[in-house]
Each structure stands twice: as structure tokens, then as C-alpha cells.
Amino acid sequence: MEKIIRFGVSMDSKLLNMFDRHIHKKGYTNRSEAIRDIIRDHLVSQEWMNADSETIGTITLVYDHEKGDISERLIESQHHYCDNIISSIHVHLDKHNCLEVLVVRGKANKIQEISDHLISNRGVKHGKLTMTTTGKKLV
Ligand code: NI
């Protein structure tokens, strides 16, 4: 069990009011949990700054499967990066549009490369890499 330490933080009352309103809207019932989440989020961002960090992310892609050979190109790319793409879901949104969510694992720079490669494909209407963490380094 990790030791819990209490500490005081000094700040401008206006800034604290803004923070309190913000975390209230987000559903936090106390400042401590909000501050812990902000610190974790910052640490995860730092993990992604280190190219060699082992990371986890999701790449979301929206595309029209009827546009050119986009489906074939995306499948080919996913096979090419099969060591890093560990799972995927495909949703047929309507007659034309598809949504894919790929779960990717690997070094931060490799995941960024895969994401850039997939999202920049002609025919991808929108793409987003969500950078999260293996959780190993966080408490
Ligand atoms: Ni589809």
C-alpha cells in the first residue's frame, strides 16, 4: 500500500475558484481526486514525449469505404503494423461511412508513425490518436 501524503498548495483565490467550478462541472467531488488525475495526465503526456516509452493508444478512423481503394489500403497498412495493432473494431455507420478503432501498443514514436501513416491516407475523413498508458508506471 502506497503511503498517502497531504500537502498544501498556495494559489490566487480567483484561480482556485475557476478550478473548483471546472472540476465541479467534470463531476469531481473533491480537489484531491481532480489534482491526482491532472498529475497522471501530465505524466502520461511525458511518457509520450519519450520516444522509447512503452505506450498504449487508440487510433480512431472515419472513412467512406466506397472512396477509391481506401479499404484495401487500410487493411494492408494494418497487416504491415500487425505487431503493434493488437485489436480493432469496425462499425458500419451508414451505407458509406465506416468507423474503425484500433488499439495500438508499442514505443511512442512507432505508435505516432502508425497513426500518422493511417490518418494521412487519402479517403480518411477524420482520424485521431488517443494517447494513454500501460498503467504500469502510475498509481
Ligand atoms: Ni464498414
Side-chain angles (χ1 to χ4, degrees):
M1 178 108 182
E2 298 294 326
K3 190 176 159 195
I4 302 294
I5 295 175
R6 297 177 67 92
F7 66 99
V9 178
S10 307
M11 75 171 76
D12 188 293
S13 63
K14 261 189 182 171
L15 186 60
L16 186 59
N17 281 338
M18 288 167 71
F19 181 69
D20 283 345
R21 277 200 303 275
H22 172 74
I23 66 174
H24 178 73
K25 267 192 228 159
K26 292 282 183 188
Y28 289 102
T29 52
N30 65 69
R31 288 177 189 148
S32 293
E33 186 53 26
I35 290 168
R36 284 192 290 270
D37 277 356
I38 290 167
I39 290 172
R40 288 187 196 107
D41 194 46
H42 182 75
L43 293 172
V44 170
S45 300
Q46 292 305 303
E47 277 183 27
W48 279 84
M49 301 284 278
N50 177 1
D52 280 335
S53 285
E54 185 72 12
T55 53
I56 292 270
T58 56
I59 301 169
T60 305
L61 304 167
V62 174
Y63 62 92
D64 180 342
H65 76 275
E66 293 167 323
K67 280 273 161 71
D69 57 352
I70 182 70
S71 296
E72 288 77 13
R73 277 187 283 124
L74 288 177
I75 288 170
E76 200 177 305
S77 295
Q78 290 180 43
H79 278 272
H80 179 73
Y81 293 116
C82 65
D83 288 344
N84 298 98
I85 299 173
I86 55 178
S87 185
S88 65
I89 62 165
H90 183 112
V91 180
H92 309 303
L93 295 173
D94 56 33
K95 272 191 158 182
H96 316 283
N97 293 296
C98 301
L99 167 81
E100 278 189 11
V101 181
L102 313 175
V103 181
V104 282
R105 178 177 206 151
K107 305 279 187 208
N109 63 343
K110 186 72 182 177
I111 300 305
Q112 190 70 63
E113 173 198 317
I114 295 168
S115 173
D116 290 345
H117 178 80
L118 292 170
I119 292 171
S120 66
N121 252 292
R122 192 180 154 87
V124 173
K125 292 182 176 182
H126 186 247
K128 192 104 184 154
L129 168 63
T130 302
M131 300 169 178
T132 183
T133 176
T134 62
K136 287 178 193 166
K137 293 180 188 164
L138 290 181
V139 287

PDB file of all heavy atoms in Angstrom, residues 63-65 71 90-100, ligand 1:
ATOM      1  N   TYR A  63     -14.006   6.829 -42.399  1.00  0.00           N
ATOM      2  CA  TYR A  63     -13.778   6.908 -43.841  1.00  0.00           C
ATOM      3  C   TYR A  63     -14.954   6.339 -44.616  1.00  0.00           C
ATOM      4  O   TYR A  63     -15.772   5.588 -44.070  1.00  0.00           O
ATOM      5  CB  TYR A  63     -12.476   6.179 -44.223  1.00  0.00           C
ATOM      6  CG  TYR A  63     -12.465   4.707 -43.908  1.00  0.00           C
ATOM      7  CD1 TYR A  63     -12.865   3.770 -44.865  1.00  0.00           C
ATOM      8  CD2 TYR A  63     -12.074   4.244 -42.649  1.00  0.00           C
ATOM      9  CE1 TYR A  63     -12.863   2.413 -44.565  1.00  0.00           C
ATOM     10  CE2 TYR A  63     -12.079   2.891 -42.358  1.00  0.00           C
ATOM     11  CZ  TYR A  63     -12.475   1.983 -43.313  1.00  0.00           C
ATOM     12  OH  TYR A  63     -12.481   0.637 -43.017  1.00  0.00           O
ATOM     13  N   ASP A  64     -15.014   6.725 -45.879  1.00  0.00           N
ATOM     14  CA  ASP A  64     -16.039   6.227 -46.788  1.00  0.00           C
ATOM     15  C   ASP A  64     -15.443   5.035 -47.525  1.00  0.00           C
ATOM     16  O   ASP A  64     -14.508   5.202 -48.318  1.00  0.00           O
ATOM     17  CB  ASP A  64     -16.427   7.347 -47.764  1.00  0.00           C
ATOM     18  CG  ASP A  64     -17.505   6.919 -48.755  1.00  0.00           C
ATOM     19  OD1 ASP A  64     -17.719   5.699 -48.925  1.00  0.00           O
ATOM     20  OD2 ASP A  64     -18.113   7.815 -49.371  1.00  0.00           O
ATOM     21  N   HIS A  65     -15.957   3.859 -47.263  1.00  0.00           N
ATOM     22  CA  HIS A  65     -15.328   2.647 -47.821  1.00  0.00           C
ATOM     23  C   HIS A  65     -15.455   2.563 -49.347  1.00  0.00           C
ATOM     24  O   HIS A  65     -14.776   1.765 -49.991  1.00  0.00           O
ATOM     25  CB  HIS A  65     -15.889   1.383 -47.160  1.00  0.00           C
ATOM     26  CG  HIS A  65     -17.250   1.001 -47.632  1.00  0.00           C
ATOM     27  ND1 HIS A  65     -18.389   1.539 -47.102  1.00  0.00           N
ATOM     28  CD2 HIS A  65     -17.648   0.160 -48.608  1.00  0.00           C
ATOM     29  CE1 HIS A  65     -19.436   1.023 -47.719  1.00  0.00           C
ATOM     30  NE2 HIS A  65     -19.016   0.195 -48.648  1.00  0.00           N
ATOM     31  N   SER A  71     -10.328   1.012 -48.400  1.00  0.00           N
ATOM     32  CA  SER A  71     -10.448  -0.166 -47.531  1.00  0.00           C
ATOM     33  C   SER A  71      -9.233  -1.069 -47.690  1.00  0.00           C
ATOM     34  O   SER A  71      -8.649  -1.514 -46.696  1.00  0.00           O
ATOM     35  CB  SER A  71     -11.707  -0.969 -47.864  1.00  0.00           C
ATOM     36  OG  SER A  71     -12.839  -0.182 -47.593  1.00  0.00           O
ATOM     37  N   HIS A  90     -14.674  -2.540 -36.144  1.00  0.00           N
ATOM     38  CA  HIS A  90     -15.154  -1.849 -37.340  1.00  0.00           C
ATOM     39  C   HIS A  90     -16.660  -1.696 -37.188  1.00  0.00           C
ATOM     40  O   HIS A  90     -17.361  -2.663 -36.912  1.00  0.00           O
ATOM     41  CB  HIS A  90     -14.814  -2.684 -38.579  1.00  0.00           C
ATOM     42  CG  HIS A  90     -15.210  -2.029 -39.858  1.00  0.00           C
ATOM     43  ND1 HIS A  90     -14.285  -1.573 -40.770  1.00  0.00           N
ATOM     44  CD2 HIS A  90     -16.420  -1.720 -40.375  1.00  0.00           C
ATOM     45  CE1 HIS A  90     -14.903  -1.021 -41.796  1.00  0.00           C
ATOM     46  NE2 HIS A  90     -16.215  -1.109 -41.584  1.00  0.00           N
ATOM     47  N   VAL A  91     -17.142  -0.473 -37.358  1.00  0.00           N
ATOM     48  CA  VAL A  91     -18.578  -0.215 -37.277  1.00  0.00           C
ATOM     49  C   VAL A  91     -19.022   0.383 -38.607  1.00  0.00           C
ATOM     50  O   VAL A  91     -18.438   1.369 -39.071  1.00  0.00           O
ATOM     51  CB  VAL A  91     -18.906   0.770 -36.126  1.00  0.00           C
ATOM     52  CG1 VAL A  91     -20.411   1.030 -36.056  1.00  0.00           C
ATOM     53  CG2 VAL A  91     -18.393   0.247 -34.796  1.00  0.00           C
ATOM     54  N   HIS A  92     -20.027  -0.199 -39.237  1.00  0.00           N
ATOM     55  CA  HIS A  92     -20.602   0.372 -40.462  1.00  0.00           C
ATOM     56  C   HIS A  92     -21.589   1.445 -40.015  1.00  0.00           C
ATOM     57  O   HIS A  92     -22.681   1.132 -39.539  1.00  0.00           O
ATOM     58  CB  HIS A  92     -21.311  -0.713 -41.271  1.00  0.00           C
ATOM     59  CG  HIS A  92     -20.465  -1.922 -41.517  1.00  0.00           C
ATOM     60  ND1 HIS A  92     -19.248  -1.857 -42.139  1.00  0.00           N
ATOM     61  CD2 HIS A  92     -20.664  -3.226 -41.205  1.00  0.00           C
ATOM     62  CE1 HIS A  92     -18.734  -3.075 -42.216  1.00  0.00           C
ATOM     63  NE2 HIS A  92     -19.567  -3.917 -41.635  1.00  0.00           N
ATOM     64  N   LEU A  93     -21.198   2.707 -40.135  1.00  0.00           N
ATOM     65  CA  LEU A  93     -22.008   3.800 -39.590  1.00  0.00           C
ATOM     66  C   LEU A  93     -23.287   4.028 -40.398  1.00  0.00           C
ATOM     67  O   LEU A  93     -24.344   4.315 -39.846  1.00  0.00           O
ATOM     68  CB  LEU A  93     -21.195   5.094 -39.560  1.00  0.00           C
ATOM     69  CG  LEU A  93     -19.986   5.113 -38.621  1.00  0.00           C
ATOM     70  CD1 LEU A  93     -19.185   6.388 -38.830  1.00  0.00           C
ATOM     71  CD2 LEU A  93     -20.420   4.984 -37.172  1.00  0.00           C
ATOM     72  N   ASP A  94     -23.162   3.941 -41.705  1.00  0.00           N
ATOM     73  CA  ASP A  94     -24.316   4.063 -42.600  1.00  0.00           C
ATOM     74  C   ASP A  94     -23.929   3.361 -43.904  1.00  0.00           C
ATOM     75  O   ASP A  94     -22.992   2.574 -43.917  1.00  0.00           O
ATOM     76  CB  ASP A  94     -24.707   5.543 -42.821  1.00  0.00           C
ATOM     77  CG  ASP A  94     -23.550   6.391 -43.349  1.00  0.00           C
ATOM     78  OD1 ASP A  94     -22.716   5.849 -44.114  1.00  0.00           O
ATOM     79  OD2 ASP A  94     -23.476   7.586 -43.021  1.00  0.00           O
ATOM     80  N   LYS A  95     -24.628   3.678 -45.002  1.00  0.00           N
ATOM     81  CA  LYS A  95     -24.336   2.987 -46.272  1.00  0.00           C
ATOM     82  C   LYS A  95     -22.898   3.204 -46.736  1.00  0.00           C
ATOM     83  O   LYS A  95     -22.337   2.375 -47.437  1.00  0.00           O
ATOM     84  CB  LYS A  95     -25.292   3.488 -47.355  1.00  0.00           C
ATOM     85  CG  LYS A  95     -26.584   2.734 -47.434  1.00  0.00           C
ATOM     86  CD  LYS A  95     -27.336   3.115 -48.688  1.00  0.00           C
ATOM     87  CE  LYS A  95     -28.328   2.024 -49.061  1.00  0.00           C
ATOM     88  NZ  LYS A  95     -29.044   2.316 -50.288  1.00  0.00           N
ATOM     89  N   HIS A  96     -22.311   4.346 -46.382  1.00  0.00           N
ATOM     90  CA  HIS A  96     -20.996   4.700 -46.924  1.00  0.00           C
ATOM     91  C   HIS A  96     -19.878   4.765 -45.887  1.00  0.00           C
ATOM     92  O   HIS A  96     -18.743   4.385 -46.174  1.00  0.00           O
ATOM     93  CB  HIS A  96     -21.071   6.073 -47.618  1.00  0.00           C
ATOM     94  CG  HIS A  96     -22.280   6.223 -48.479  1.00  0.00           C
ATOM     95  ND1 HIS A  96     -22.368   5.640 -49.720  1.00  0.00           N
ATOM     96  CD2 HIS A  96     -23.463   6.863 -48.266  1.00  0.00           C
ATOM     97  CE1 HIS A  96     -23.560   5.920 -50.247  1.00  0.00           C
ATOM     98  NE2 HIS A  96     -24.235   6.650 -49.386  1.00  0.00           N
ATOM     99  N   ASN A  97     -20.202   5.284 -44.718  1.00  0.00           N
ATOM    100  CA  ASN A  97     -19.165   5.606 -43.732  1.00  0.00           C
ATOM    101  C   ASN A  97     -18.861   4.458 -42.779  1.00  0.00           C
ATOM    102  O   ASN A  97     -19.767   3.780 -42.284  1.00  0.00           O
ATOM    103  CB  ASN A  97     -19.570   6.841 -42.927  1.00  0.00           C
ATOM    104  CG  ASN A  97     -19.593   8.071 -43.794  1.00  0.00           C
ATOM    105  OD1 ASN A  97     -18.558   8.499 -44.321  1.00  0.00           O
ATOM    106  ND2 ASN A  97     -20.786   8.649 -43.979  1.00  0.00           N
ATOM    107  N   CYS A  98     -17.576   4.306 -42.526  1.00  0.00           N
ATOM    108  CA  CYS A  98     -17.095   3.293 -41.592  1.00  0.00           C
ATOM    109  C   CYS A  98     -16.312   3.967 -40.473  1.00  0.00           C
ATOM    110  O   CYS A  98     -15.643   4.982 -40.695  1.00  0.00           O
ATOM    111  CB  CYS A  98     -16.133   2.327 -42.284  1.00  0.00           C
ATOM    112  SG  CYS A  98     -16.847   1.463 -43.674  1.00  0.00           S
ATOM    113  N   LEU A  99     -16.404   3.388 -39.295  1.00  0.00           N
ATOM    114  CA  LEU A  99     -15.603   3.828 -38.151  1.00  0.00           C
ATOM    115  C   LEU A  99     -14.735   2.651 -37.734  1.00  0.00           C
ATOM    116  O   LEU A  99     -15.241   1.539 -37.585  1.00  0.00           O
ATOM    117  CB  LEU A  99     -16.511   4.224 -36.985  1.00  0.00           C
ATOM    118  CG  LEU A  99     -15.815   4.416 -35.636  1.00  0.00           C
ATOM    119  CD1 LEU A  99     -15.165   5.786 -35.556  1.00  0.00           C
ATOM    120  CD2 LEU A  99     -16.801   4.261 -34.489  1.00  0.00           C
ATOM    121  N   GLU A 100     -13.453   2.908 -37.586  1.00  0.00           N
ATOM    122  CA  GLU A 100     -12.574   1.873 -37.061  1.00  0.00           C
ATOM    123  C   GLU A 100     -11.844   2.420 -35.851  1.00  0.00           C
ATOM    124  O   GLU A 100     -11.421   3.579 -35.847  1.00  0.00           O
ATOM    125  CB  GLU A 100     -11.552   1.425 -38.119  1.00  0.00           C
ATOM    126  CG  GLU A 100     -12.151   0.409 -39.067  1.00  0.00           C
ATOM    127  CD  GLU A 100     -11.135  -0.246 -39.996  1.00  0.00           C
ATOM    128  OE1 GLU A 100      -9.924  -0.084 -39.786  1.00  0.00           O
ATOM    129  OE2 GLU A 100     -11.596  -0.904 -40.935  1.00  0.00           O
TER     130      GLU A 100
HETATM  131 NI    NI B   1     -17.897  -0.517 -42.804  1.00  0.00          NI
END
